[in-house]
Amino acid sequence: RVGDGEVWAAVTDLSDAQRDAIALRYAADLSYREIGETLGISEAAARRRVHDALANLRTTVSEEEIR
């Protein structure tokens, strides 16, 4: 099982745009519409940014488990 420390380390490896989207979605509990408004992007782009960030986190965390 991956600990919180490994997850937060993986978050710091995300691009600024992806990290902002993840923080707004999960730490600030904003909707995709609100994330889009905050970042000046469309709701669809906000959804995609969060999706891509989660995919990157899954890959990074999975690679860490293998090591």
Side-chain angles (χ1 to χ4, degrees):
R1 180 155 158 73
V2 175
D4 290 344
E6 289 88 358
V7 173
W8 284 114
V11 169
T12 63
D13 289 339
L14 294 173
S15 69
D16 290 343
Q18 288 182 346
R19 190 171 43 252
D20 291 346
I22 287 289
L24 292 171
R25 181 69 178 157
Y26 296 102
D29 199 30
L30 296 185
S31 69
Y32 293 111
R33 180 185 56 78
E34 292 168 321
I35 293 168
E37 289 172 358
T38 301
L39 298 178
I41 59 177
S42 68
E43 180 177 343
R47 283 182 183 275
R48 185 65 191 190
R49 200 170 284 181
V50 170
H51 172 82
D52 290 347
L54 290 173
N56 286 339
L57 288 173
R58 284 187 196 102
T59 299
T60 301
V61 169
S62 294
E63 288 173 356
E64 289 298 320
E65 285 183 324
I66 293 169
R67 291 182 200 176

